[in-house]
Amino acid sequence: MGLHKKVRRSKNRVVSIPVDREIETTGNSPSMRKFTKDDIAGYEYKHSTYVVSNNNPNSDLILVKENIHLKNGDVVPNLRRIRDFKRPYYITRESQRKYKEKRVWESLENVRRYECTQAELAGDIQRKLKSGRGGVKTLNRSPYLYGTDMTSSVLVKHQYMTKFPDFKTNYKVAHLDIEFDVVDGTDSINMISISCQGKVYQAVTRAYIGTTIDFFGKIRQCYEQEVVPILSAVDNKIKQFVEKGIKHEFELNFYEAEDECDAVLWIFRQLHHVIKPDMLSVWNLPYDTKKMMQALSRRGIAHEDVFCDPSVPDEFKYFKLKEGEAKIFDANGVAESKDPCDRWHRVTAPSNFFWVDQMSVRRMVRKHLNKEPSYSLGNILYKELGFGKLKGDKGIRSTGIDWHKHMQRNEKIFYCVYNMFDNIGAQLLDEKTEDLRSTFPAQCGFSELQSYNSQGRKLAGVALWGVHMGMTQGLLATMVADTAPEDLRVTAYGFFNLVS
């Protein structure tokens, strides 16, 4: 085939979203002032969440976490709501439907361009093709359909990254950990803590505090004795910290919670309104997440009302934890259990932060290497930083659940410091390895963060598309929908209208 005319660009560009009005800063700006379009140098994409309206199945929302870069050097985090984004797709003209098998390439002059929301896509395709049933994946078997495997979220990300390629900063990561009752059999949360940059936030339940006088003051004293010496040693030992002259100091913030539900509510108020991180990291994500879900359910509070950003309209509030597959099947259908580090969990909840399992990311970015002997946080910390989790120095020989029972009965103050130190350790680990703040999002390229577990095949698709674009800008590419891996199809389809 020869070269033909280019397809029209999408009308839904990031730059077309209104920015000429005054915008109230949402945090992290030293002046916290208002600014206008003329003050803006560019936009940086961090992540996005796609949700369908609870009221209208044909309406959807892409909530984008972005950084607004101002000309004076300030960087302001912002949530941008893109409602009913019209994404393109292509269908072969009826006069050109003279073949029955999927073509590797199709000339642009032989196709018609259509637009609809991602939520409307399957129904719109059915109407335009005047045949076919099922979802988009099934409809992709049609030999006349092109550009439908690229999601609207990926298209939006591509627009940001191609329009503003020079605006890149490390991701701001908050680390979360919980401890729950193993003494009285309530299985309820005793404490939750998060650390982010130079601050730690910890909520401790009133039942756990009991009658102890000056409970939080004693935690501060224990922290000075147990944690500060470790931080000093690490700052003088780890090459990355020494070269940058980093001296870790953490401001401790405490909250006495009425119960476990109140603790969850307070922590997420800090995340939504104060910290506003780009990522929320949890080591072994499903475990702590389900504990928080349980705490909210016991009080009759909908999960989406807490985990979603308060600014999200009610019709688009949605929460779902989807755990990664626990088993893998070989060619003979024999199942083999996956190690926890090999499972990729996904949380859907439109907010400032993308939920991520730091343990899984550690494995994924090193998948070309042999597995490590253990993926427990303590072992990884010892390997990378030279220290493990706090254990106490009173000669306690118990381990596992017996150790936790002893601490909750006899060392309540130390146990709170133990809890917050898990987050501090995870934060120091990421500052050294840069897995979350840099490597993981960079390796995703144009694909979505939640699809990272299949990144090897995605990168292969991107490379293939790059070869195609170098050869011609007048053709559309396609693959056989039944045989192409889903994530590879997502990468390869439908880029043309955005890059030509």
Side-chain angles (χ1 to χ4, degrees):
M1 292 183 184
L3 298 180
H4 302 280
K5 65 181 180 180
K6 300 177 182 179
V7 70
R8 291 184 295 111
R9 293 174 183 259
S10 172
K11 295 179 182 178
N12 293 89
R13 296 172 175 278
V14 170
V15 292
S16 70
I17 300 170
V19 294
D20 54 347
R21 58 179 172 80
E22 283 195 335
I23 303 174
E24 189 73 41
T25 59
T26 56
N28 286 12
S29 176
S31 60
M32 290 299 291
R33 64 180 178 83
K34 293 181 179 180
F35 57 87
T36 66
K37 176 182 177 181
D38 294 335
D39 299 315
I40 298 173
Y43 300 85
E44 176 189 9
Y45 178 98
K46 286 300 183 182
H47 65 84
S48 67
T49 305
Y50 172 84
V51 286
V52 177
S53 169
N54 298 315
N55 302 333
N56 179 0
N58 292 323
S59 179
D60 54 25
L61 175 76
I62 302 174
L63 186 73
V64 180
K65 172 63 177 292
E66 65 181 7
N67 278 343
I68 302 175
H69 289 256
L70 304 183
K71 294 175 181 177
N72 66 1
D74 285 355
V75 179
V76 183
N78 185 54
L79 287 177
R80 184 186 297 276
R81 298 196 295 266
I82 305 176
R83 184 165 181 169
D84 295 334
F85 177 83
K86 300 294 185 180
R87 47 83 36 77
Y89 70 94
Y90 307 86
I91 295 178
T92 304
R93 297 175 185 271
E94 292 185 5
S95 61
Q96 301 297 321
R97 299 179 191 177
K98 301 175 182 178
Y99 53 90
K100 297 287 182 71
E101 302 295 329
K102 276 278 192 184
R103 287 183 173 180
V104 178
W105 311 105
E106 179 60 283
S107 173
L108 292 174
E109 66 182 16
N110 292 338
V111 298
R112 293 185 184 277
R113 184 180 191 274
Y114 299 99
E115 290 184 351
C116 66
T117 67
Q118 186 73 32
E120 296 172 315
L121 188 57
D124 206 58
I125 292 170
Q126 293 172 10
R127 288 189 291 271
K128 297 300 189 301
L129 282 176
K130 299 178 182 179
S131 64
R133 295 180 179 179
V136 175
K137 185 175 181 179
T138 301
L139 293 167
N140 279 336
R141 298 169 185 167
S142 168
Y144 312 123
L145 187 61
Y146 302 87
T148 52
D149 277 14
M150 183 72 73
T151 66
S152 56
S153 297
V154 172
L155 297 176
V156 168
K157 181 176 183 179
H158 181 269
Q159 291 178 354
Y160 270 90
M161 295 179 70
T162 53
K163 182 65 178 179
F164 307 106
D166 299 326
F167 294 102
K168 297 178 181 179
T169 59
N170 283 341
Y171 278 59
K172 182 179 180 180
V173 185
H175 300 265
L176 180 147
D177 187 48
I178 72 167
E179 307 298 339
F180 66 98
D181 170 49
V182 294
V183 173
D184 298 324
T186 66
D187 198 36
S188 60
I189 295 171
N190 284 331
M191 65 196 73
I192 312 176
S193 65
I194 49 177
S195 71
C196 185
Q197 297 179 335
K199 295 185 178 182
V200 173
Y201 300 81
Q202 186 176 56
V204 185
T205 64
R206 192 166 296 160
Y208 182 84
I209 294 173
T211 58
T212 304
I213 299 173
D214 192 23
F215 191 85
F216 295 128
K218 291 177 180 178
I219 292 179
R220 293 182 188 276
Q221 292 176 4
C222 183
Y223 172 88
E224 291 292 328
Q225 296 171 0
E226 299 285 347
V227 178
V228 172
I230 296 176
L231 296 179
S232 178
V234 168
D235 290 342
N236 292 313
K237 174 184 176 182
I238 302 302
K239 180 180 178 181
Q240 292 92 323
F241 302 161
V242 173
E243 291 179 347
K244 297 178 182 179
I246 295 176
K247 299 297 180 183
H248 287 95
E249 296 180 357
F250 289 89
E251 173 191 302
L252 307 184
N253 301 273
F254 297 106
Y255 175 70
E256 181 177 333
E258 293 182 7
D259 56 21
E260 60 173 352
C261 182
D262 188 33
V264 175
L265 295 175
W266 184 79
I267 282 292
F268 275 84
R269 283 199 297 271
Q270 311 315 304
L271 287 167
H272 291 313
H273 299 292
V274 181
I275 306 172
K276 300 180 181 178
D278 303 319
M279 290 186 189
L280 177 61
S281 169
V282 186
W283 200 276
N284 194 6
L285 183 148
Y287 189 82
D288 288 18
T289 304
K290 286 192 282 189
K291 287 292 183 184
M292 294 188 290
M293 293 166 61
Q294 175 181 277
L296 295 175
S297 295
R298 284 172 171 172
R299 183 80 78 81
I301 297 177
H303 303 153
E304 60 270 19
D305 288 340
V306 177
F307 298 138
C308 294
D309 191 87
S311 68
V312 175
D314 287 345
E315 69 170 300
F316 291 108
K317 285 185 177 178
Y318 176 82
F319 173 83
K320 181 178 181 180
L321 165 65
K322 182 179 181 181
E323 296 187 57
E325 295 294 334
K327 296 182 181 295
I328 186 171
F329 295 86
D330 62 20
N332 297 318
V334 178
E336 180 180 348
S337 296
K338 284 186 176 182
D339 291 334
C341 63
D342 288 320
R343 300 178 64 188
W344 187 254
H345 313 291
R346 301 184 184 189
V347 170
T348 302
S351 67
N352 273 283
F353 42 87
F354 172 80
W355 299 55
V356 64
D357 190 325
Q358 189 173 2
M359 175 178 64
S360 298
V361 170
R362 180 171 179 85
R363 171 58 183 154
M364 294 298 178
V365 300
R366 295 168 181 80
K367 208 153 190 178
H368 59 291
L369 303 174
N370 292 330
K371 280 188 179 179
E372 298 174 79
S374 171
Y375 282 87
S376 71
L377 177 58
N379 284 326
I380 298 299
L381 289 177
Y382 190 82
K383 176 179 179 179
E384 293 285 356
L385 301 174
F387 65 82
K389 303 177 76 166
L390 291 183
K391 295 295 290 183
D393 58 358
K394 296 185 179 181
I396 302 170
R397 295 184 178 181
S398 60
T399 59
I401 191 66
D402 290 333
W403 182 87
H404 286 273
K405 287 181 178 179
H406 174 86
M407 287 294 165
Q408 290 184 18
R409 288 191 182 108
N410 306 301
E411 301 290 343
K412 288 192 171 187
I413 301 298
F414 177 86
Y415 197 61
C416 290
V417 177
Y418 161 86
N419 168 249
M420 67 173 69
F421 186 71
D422 275 4
N423 291 324
I424 293 173
Q427 177 178 325
L428 296 179
L429 173 66
D430 192 56
E431 289 181 12
K432 178 180 183 289
T433 64
E434 298 193 337
D435 287 352
L436 297 177
R437 64 187 53 208
S438 178
T439 304
F440 157 45
Q443 287 184 354
C444 286
F446 292 129
S447 60
E448 298 170 89
L449 297 184
Q450 52 263 46
S451 302
Y452 181 65
N453 59 317
S454 301
Q455 196 60 27
R457 287 179 290 176
K458 285 182 178 297
L459 292 175
V462 172
L464 174 64
W465 190 260
V467 172
H468 156 62
M469 293 308 300
M471 294 171 58
T472 175
Q473 291 200 4
L475 306 174
L476 280 171
T478 185
M479 293 182 177
V480 178
D482 284 338
T483 59
E486 183 176 359
D487 56 331
L488 184 57
R489 298 200 314 272
V490 169
T491 304
Y493 280 15
F495 249 13
F496 191 89
N497 67 299
L498 294 171
V499 299
S500 58

